[in-house]
Amino acid sequence: MRLTTGTKAAALLAATALLTAACSGGDQSAAPTTSAGAPAEKVELTFWTWAPNMEKVVALWNDANPNIQVTVNKQDGGDPAVTKLLTAIKAGSGAPDVMQAEYQKIPTLVSADALADISAAIDPGLAAQYPEGVWNAVTLGSEAVFAVPQDSGPMQFYYRADVFEDLGVEVPTTWDEYADAARKIHQADPKVYLGTFSANDAGWFTGLAQQAGASWWGIDGDAWSVDVDAEPTQRVAEYWGGLVEEGVINNKPMYTPEWNAALNNGTEVGWLSAVWAPGVLAGNAADTAGKWKMAPMPQWDAANPATGNWGGSATAVTSQSKHPEQAAAFVSWLNSSQEAVNALVAEAGIYPANTVAQAEALASPPEFFSNQEDFYTIAGETAKTAGSFTYGPNVNVAYSAYNDEFAKAAESRSKSAFVTAVTAMQKITLDDLKSSGFNVTE
């Protein structure tokens, strides 16, 4: 079923785009199955993914399912993978059966009829194994299921415990306390910062906004709405703009040689990041191993703890798979069976979204945080506090607008420029939805 742009939003909400009939019966080209659920003839599936060592995880499935064999095809992550899939879907050939997809890209893929609704082919109880906000990211608030969550990126606060102890700085539990800590640390040594505002990491800023209660897109009937400039995001922008203007937080982007060096030499002693941060710290700040600790994010309202997500992906069945039922079985196994989740953690280094399987899979802390036995206990508790965040079909436009507008704001070191940047993001995102032919409500 091909959707017109005018009906895409309604399809996302009501799941009227049943992209393949094979999951629930009807005319289909899937291989016949036996009464036990295994195919009567061999089925071969292709799986596009960028996760490292995924072939080792998939080998477990292939050994146990000789008649449903999965071949891993490594891809670049992010936009290149999405572009390649959409090109194949439009051409009507070359698309894989299974696709790893970042959560923020799922609305774009659904609006392009690239993903199948697999709700009829998976266990209805699967939803209970995931945080509500994560599950919402693969259902888009509907009864359809367009993917099964694989990993998530709940955000926490990483800090140099030795520096905090030496300076007598308490670990901040609120954003006011974070600002005070930033002032004390920078005052003690003007070369040292608690953190930086990164104008090239839209996903990072999205997580901060989500924690404050933001959701940048919404669906109202058959129309999209855009709420980038709502109060929660404005509050976050004004807060960080104030710290940058005051000079107690750096204004340089992350993931540059300068930033890497600052983590390692102790001139940057904190990082608001996601649960996958230990791997980055181990690679960029190896000399500081054993000196860092992790704590929950500072809160806007300490009585109602919350966090945001930075990163994470799900595994979807594409709309052009000839074997959607078998593909859905593989996707479900990959992200919910204890065997597979253990292997995903050990081989791919992910933080599993499946909360039921976490206890066994994450029994030991990351090596870089071997000094903090409760690392994953804290991560698991914070992950539960992430609220839902609705992404729209033009997330790439919003993220690009963030990079452009906040780069100017960070350079200016003006709090008012940070607020203006959010307003600009709103207009750019809304105008793009309209010009792309989507129904939009204001």
Side-chain angles (χ1 to χ4, degrees), residues 156-161 164 168-185 194 211 239-240 249 269-272 293-300 302:
Q156 294 93 21
F157 173 51
Y158 297 84
Y159 65 99
R160 281 283 298 272
F164 272 62
V169 177
E170 295 292 326
V171 178
T173 60
T174 67
W175 286 113
D176 285 342
E177 292 175 359
Y178 180 91
D180 288 340
R183 295 182 184 105
K184 292 177 181 177
I185 289 170
L194 178 56
Q211 190 216 17
Y239 173 85
W240 285 96
I249 286 292
V269 297
W271 187 23
L272 294 158
K293 282 196 173 181
M294 181 265 279
M297 288 263 281
Q299 298 295 311
W300 294 105

Side-chain angles (χ1 to χ4, degrees), residues 319-365:
S319 58
Q320 292 184 1
S321 172
K322 295 181 179 180
H323 311 291
E325 185 176 354
Q326 290 77 30
F330 166 72
V331 164
S332 180
W333 170 86
L334 180 66
N335 299 302
S336 65
S337 75
Q338 191 67 61
E339 176 188 38
V341 173
N342 287 352
L344 284 171
V345 171
E347 301 293 350
I350 72 160
Y351 178 77
N354 190 299
T355 57
V356 175
Q358 283 178 358
E360 180 177 321
L362 303 173
S364 300

Side-chain angles (χ1 to χ4, degrees), residues 139-175:
T139 64
L140 307 181
S142 72
E143 294 183 0
V145 178
F146 296 108
V148 177
Q150 180 166 294
D151 61 316
S152 65
M155 295 182 71
Q156 294 93 21
F157 173 51
Y158 297 84
Y159 65 99
R160 281 283 298 272
D162 59 330
V163 174
F164 272 62
E165 184 177 352
D166 289 345
L167 296 178
V169 177
E170 295 292 326
V171 178
T173 60
T174 67
W175 286 113

Side-chain angles (χ1 to χ4, degrees), residues 279-319:
V280 177
L281 292 172
N284 295 341
D287 294 345
T288 64
K291 298 179 180 180
W292 292 79
K293 282 196 173 181
M294 181 265 279
M297 288 263 281
Q299 298 295 311
W300 294 105
D301 180 1
N304 296 290
T307 194
N309 282 313
W310 181 14
S313 62
T315 320
V317 176
T318 70
S319 58

